[in-house]
Amino acid sequence: MSGKPRLHYFNGRGRMEPIRWLLAAAGVEFEESYLEKKEDLTKLQKDGSLLFQQVPMVEIDGMKLVQTRAIANYISTKHNLYGKDMKERALIDMYVEGMFDLNELLMTYGYLPADKKQEHFANMMDKAENRYFPVFEKVLKGHGKDFLVGNQLSRADVQLLEIILMAEECKPDILAKFPLLQSFKARISNIPTIKKFLQPGSQRKPLIREEEVPKVMKIFY
Ligand SMILES: N[C@@H](CCC(=O)N[C@@H](CSCc1ccccc1I)C(=O)NCC(=O)O)C(=O)O
């Protein structure tokens, strides 16, 4: 049996955070190797650990997986977070891909130059409130169950909670018009493995501070 998964990324959310959420929700302990400077990335690139010369990279089950979606798919399949059949998996994929589109907006906001932030912020809040959250409110209303798909926890529930919390960091009352998402947030946050991940001191990463951005950018650009 292989040891704990090892995540290779900088010490921040970026593209690795959804993977941390899935492992935590599945109750899987994981280790992290943080890239602190460009040389740390170059070393991984040179030793052939990065198929496309990029991170995230997760060492798991004797593999060095790259590409966020591929990593998330593997973890979801392995830990039964992907529904019970093809149709449930198709629904989960649809929901998660939409969430990834919103996550891309939320994730990149902190790294934008000052003159691009205001327009980007308005767009991402508009999309959250008028394109994405209404869909998930309607899904919950439609079947009246606790989870988005198949009435069991899936990666869709985990990633929805993640982006709800990220959106609330930007606009605390963003769920004001979504009562079912408010109760969903409370319910999923209370699942023991997720509750533990939400406690201070867990491996969940904070919102990046403006003064940290240049150091992170120097690793990659
Ligand atoms: N499609 C890949 C993209 C990976 C990617 O863009 N990785 C970047 C780091 S994350 C970049 C990022 C992304 C979001 C927020 C902050 C930051 I920094 C990288 O390794 N760049 C080096 C290179 O391409 O040579 C995935 O989904 O994993």
Side-chain angles (χ1 to χ4, degrees):
M1 184 65 186
S2 53
K4 294 175 188 174
R6 176 167 290 277
L7 281 52
H8 295 264
Y9 202 62
F10 72 89
N11 184 5
R13 291 178 182 174
R15 296 189 185 284
M16 186 65 93
E17 196 69 357
I19 293 161
R20 297 186 184 103
W21 271 87
L22 288 177
L23 289 168
V28 176
E29 289 186 3
F30 58 90
E31 288 161 351
E32 301 200 72
S33 293
Y34 296 129
L35 278 62
E36 301 285 348
K37 53 192 182 304
K38 193 165 191 61
E39 291 73 15
D40 296 334
L41 175 64
T42 307
K43 181 176 181 304
L44 287 174
Q45 290 170 331
K46 287 195 160 61
D47 72 18
S49 296
L50 307 178
L51 189 64
F52 300 106
Q53 312 311 315
Q54 292 180 316
V55 287
M57 185 269 279
V58 174
E59 292 182 83
I60 187 168
D61 298 340
M63 302 182 287
K64 291 185 176 179
L65 293 184
V66 294
Q67 292 295 343
T68 307
R69 287 176 167 82
I71 300 165
N73 292 351
Y74 181 79
I75 292 165
S76 301
T77 305
K78 179 176 180 182
H79 295 288
N80 190 30
L81 288 170
Y82 228 153
K84 70 176 186 309
D85 58 31
M86 276 170 61
K87 285 192 174 179
E88 288 193 355
R89 178 172 169 139
L91 282 179
I92 290 166
D93 281 338
M94 265 196 315
Y95 299 162
V96 167
E97 283 305 311
M99 292 172 204
F100 274 178
D101 287 347
L102 177 55
N103 188 43
E104 193 71 19
L105 295 172
L106 293 165
M107 175 178 58
T108 51
Y109 174 68
Y111 297 83
L112 293 173
D115 65 331
K116 296 271 193 291
K117 279 183 181 274
Q118 189 175 358
E119 183 186 357
H120 185 95
F121 183 90
N123 177 48
M124 73 183 189
M125 291 295 99
D126 172 55
K127 292 287 188 305
E129 287 188 294
N130 300 307
R131 176 175 291 183
Y132 295 104
F133 289 168
V135 167
F136 303 116
E137 182 80 5
K138 187 178 174 193
V139 166
L140 292 169
K141 188 174 176 68
H143 58 44
K145 295 180 179 172
D146 289 347
F147 302 99
L148 284 169
V149 178
N151 208 23
Q152 66 179 33
L153 183 69
S154 76
R155 64 184 295 196
D157 303 301
V158 178
Q159 313 283 210
L160 178 55
L161 178 60
E162 180 189 6
I163 58 169
I164 284 172
L165 296 176
M166 287 171 74
E168 287 183 331
E169 286 170 340
C170 297
K171 189 170 188 277
D173 69 342
I174 198 159
L175 291 189
K177 294 182 293 182
F178 306 108
L180 295 179
L181 287 182
Q182 290 174 39
S183 50
F184 171 90
K185 170 191 163 185
R187 194 163 55 245
I188 305 300
S189 299
N190 219 22
I191 292 171
T193 54
I194 294 175
K195 189 171 186 174
K196 184 179 169 195
F197 189 57
L198 292 172
Q199 297 302 311
S202 79
Q203 290 169 294
R204 182 177 174 227
K205 300 299 182 274
L207 186 62
I208 190 160
R209 295 196 310 275
E210 201 160 333
E211 59 270 23
E212 296 170 317
V213 172
K215 180 177 180 248
V216 171
M217 300 301 275
K218 279 200 191 89
I219 300 170
F220 298 105
Y221 301 103

